[in-house]
Amino acid sequence: MEWGTGAKVWLWIVLVVNALSCISVALLVLVSPLLAIITLVVEVVLIVGVILLLFKQQKMGFYLLCASSVLSAVFNVILGTGIVRAVISAILFPLITYLIIKSHWNELA
């Protein structure tokens, strides 16, 4: 199976942005080591999900994306970034990803 251009571009953007986000976690270590570790774990789960989806075409990658979105929303609410923003982010990211890959859903392993 070959991803369409839109899916490839979206998944690559997600991969690069979250890789950069992982790098920025280093600055968070100075503020709160526990928060940095939790954030890093969530980011790594998301990156693994994108890699599984982009390169291995596995549904597990999408499920990891969803799980990391939910965890991220929970931590954002706990940290006070706002319930509305956290929920919108947790819903939009997996929804956009699903809408882009839905034509290939049955072909995923």
Side-chain angles (χ1 to χ4, degrees):
M1 178 190 75
E2 182 72 24
W3 289 117
T5 304
K8 282 182 188 175
V9 169
W10 172 253
L11 292 171
W12 272 105
I13 288 171
V14 170
L15 183 63
V16 169
V17 167
N18 285 287
L20 292 173
S21 181
C22 266
I23 293 169
S24 70
V25 170
L27 299 174
L28 206 58
V29 171
L30 301 173
V31 177
S32 171
L34 178 62
L35 180 61
I37 291 169
I38 292 170
T39 304
L40 185 63
V41 168
V42 171
E43 288 294 330
V44 168
V45 167
L46 186 122
I47 289 171
V48 168
V50 172
I51 289 171
L52 285 174
L53 201 52
L54 183 61
F55 298 113
K56 301 286 189 177
Q57 286 86 30
Q58 293 183 353
K59 288 180 184 177
M60 180 57 72
F62 180 75
Y63 298 137
L64 288 173
L65 285 172
C66 291
S68 66
S69 291
V70 169
L71 288 173
S72 179
V74 168
F75 291 125
N76 284 335
V77 168
I78 290 171
L79 295 173
T81 51
I83 295 172
V84 174
R85 180 177 172 209
V87 170
I88 288 173
S89 175
I91 292 171
L92 279 181
F93 173 60
L95 180 63
I96 291 170
T97 304
Y98 177 74
L99 291 174
I100 289 174
I101 67 169
K102 75 177 181 178
S103 62
H104 296 289
W105 184 257
N106 292 329
E107 300 170 27
L108 297 176

